[in-house]
Amino acid sequence: MTRNPTPVPDRAEATELIARHMSDLTGTDIGSGDDFFACGGHSLSAMKLLGRLRRAGLDVGVDTILTHRTPEKIAAAVTVGADGGEGPVAHTQLPGEGVLVDFSGGDGAPLFCFHAVVGLAWSYAPLAGLLDGGHRVIGVQLPDAETTLSIGLDHDELCRYYLDLVRQVQPEGPYRLLGYSSGGALAHTIAGMLQQDGEVVDFLGVIDAYPSGIAPDTPNGLAAALDTFIRHHKPGEEIPALPGDGGFGDILAVLEHFDDALIGEMIRAANAPNFSEEEIESMKDASGRCFMIHMTATPSPYRGPVLVLRAGDTTDMAGLNWEPLKAWEDLDGVEPVTSHTVDSAHLAMSSVQAWESMAPVISRHLTH
């Protein structure tokens, strides 16, 4: 399905319009040649920019904003100018009603990138402009609450749902998968499912993530790990002890203290400030569902190599005994395990600076 383009007759007018909306969304004065993301733009503000520009009559796709990034280049991509440029291009609708997001466009080999605990895949946006080899960066996001609940808050069932969407985009291998934090477990599980179906997984990459079904070495598993994380980030608050059932009772108790402020801290560490209360509330709701789903993850049957991109700064994961690389190295059947250390904390591993460190390494593994 495609959308009929509505061209804007004057490229200069379009450039001015785009710059004005970018400036409004970032709170900075953006000129025609300024990079939206370098000036404070982030995943959610890019979504808002997309909506504003479409309402203004510009046939803009996600890939347009992420690939061209400046007002003048975006305007040139979607308007017909005096220089006889190609003008606007229609964009293909991906399956999943917003679950899949194409950050780069084109016909290159897809790299499917799975969301972390906030449920959004927009943290992969900067990667689209940094990868070599023309790969198509496709983010995989948590579906809406109704769809998630119909799946049953079950990790393997959610992975099968994602796998069906992945195969609608790419019916056969080789497949390339990437996951950040809890998204690493999603990628790991889906890699195993693909192999069980006789498909080839050409690349599995994880960003500071544990294997599926394995949590940091804490006495009571994931809930205890999250409890430790929250206590570290909220040292002045009196937090009751977990019920100790090791299951959903513990995770619900943890989520009681996983409030808007802490969600905001997590998101801002990897992107930028200025999220609305509604956006924070939406991410908090998605995080609760993601945590519950992640608790049901089981070991993956995947066999083959993995690239582990690990955070060199573990201070924001203090008390968790956070050693994802060791977990992968100790896993039977996963070899070779290649690693790259990024000068970043875990919560900032999707910042532009972290992607600039990781993208060349990912590119080499994608084109080996």
Side-chain angles (χ1 to χ4, degrees):
M1 182 177 71
T2 58
R3 293 181 285 105
N4 293 323
T6 305
V8 172
D10 185 272
R11 184 167 297 174
E13 179 184 336
T15 301
E16 182 181 350
L17 172 75
I18 295 166
R20 185 167 65 251
H21 283 303
M22 286 184 174
S23 298
D24 182 53
L25 288 168
T26 61
T28 60
D29 185 14
I30 291 183
S32 62
D34 291 335
D35 186 314
F36 176 62
F37 295 98
C39 293
H42 55 80
S43 58
L44 293 180
S45 58
M47 293 171 68
K48 290 181 178 179
L49 178 63
L50 181 70
R52 290 187 182 193
L53 297 184
R54 285 180 174 174
R55 287 192 294 273
L58 289 169
D59 189 59
V60 182
V62 173
D63 55 298
T64 313
I65 294 174
L66 296 170
T67 301
H68 299 290
R69 306 170 76 92
T70 72
E72 60 186 4
K73 289 182 179 179
I74 294 173
V78 298
T79 62
V80 178
D83 58 2
E86 294 181 358
V89 179
H91 301 281
T92 301
Q93 178 69 45
L94 292 174
E97 298 183 354
V99 174
L100 300 186
V101 183
D102 191 339
F103 291 124
S104 46
D107 300 319
L111 171 64
F112 295 96
C113 304
F114 295 88
H115 63 83
V117 74
V118 293
L120 296 173
W122 281 70
S123 56
Y124 294 100
L127 181 62
L130 296 171
L131 278 184
D132 297 330
H135 286 89
R136 186 180 176 194
V137 176
I138 297 179
V140 183
Q141 306 194 120
L142 188 72
D144 59 44
E146 182 178 355
T147 303
T148 307
L149 293 173
S150 72
I151 293 170
L153 295 178
D154 181 89
H155 189 267
D156 284 0
E157 290 302 316
L158 181 64
C159 286
R160 290 188 184 96
Y161 171 83
Y162 289 156
L163 178 56
D164 177 66
L165 296 179
V166 164
R167 298 190 98 162
Q168 289 182 49
V169 175
Q170 184 184 350
E172 58 186 26
Y175 291 92
R176 300 158 187 87
L177 311 174
L178 180 67
Y180 168 41
S181 194
S182 61
L186 295 170
H188 185 207
T189 295
I190 292 171
M193 290 177 173
L194 284 165
Q195 286 185 336
Q196 287 183 323
D197 289 344
E199 296 288 354
V200 174
V201 177
D202 195 48
F203 172 77
L204 173 62
V206 298
I207 301 172
D208 217 39
Y210 273 74
S212 180
I214 298 177
D217 186 17
T218 52
N220 295 312
L222 178 62
L226 292 172
D227 184 59
T228 303
F229 173 82
I230 290 173
R231 290 175 188 277
H232 171 74
H233 284 267
K234 303 174 75 173
E237 185 169 324
E238 185 175 340
I239 300 175
L242 296 179
D245 63 6
F248 284 112
D250 280 356
I251 202 71
L252 288 172
V254 166
L255 292 175
E256 283 293 317
H257 299 280
F258 213 88
D259 59 16
D260 295 359
L262 188 51
I263 288 286
E265 181 180 340
M266 290 175 65
I267 304 302
R268 292 180 184 113
N271 293 287
N274 303 321
F275 292 104
S276 69
E277 291 182 7
E278 182 180 358
E279 289 165 342
I280 293 292
E281 189 61 33
S282 175
M283 287 182 281
K284 181 182 176 183
D285 175 67
S287 295
R289 285 179 277 138
C290 283
F291 281 136
M292 291 183 180
I293 290 167
H294 191 63
M295 281 191 67
T296 70
T298 57
S300 170
Y302 172 76
R303 295 292 182 269
V306 64
L307 170 64
V308 180
L309 301 141
R310 60 182 294 270
D313 180 357
T314 61
T315 54
D316 62 349
M317 308 301 279
L320 294 186
N321 194 23
W322 189 257
E323 296 181 335
L325 176 58
K326 184 177 185 300
W328 287 99
E329 291 174 338
D330 292 344
L331 203 61
D332 290 339
V334 177
E335 56 181 351
V337 177
T338 307
S339 67
H340 172 72
T341 301
V342 182
D343 184 15
S344 170
H346 175 84
L347 296 181
M349 285 291 278
S350 60
S351 66
V352 173
Q353 292 79 4
W355 284 123
E356 288 173 346
S357 173
M358 294 186 286
V361 181
I362 294 172
S363 293
R364 287 197 299 271
H365 282 262
L366 289 171
T367 57
H368 68 279

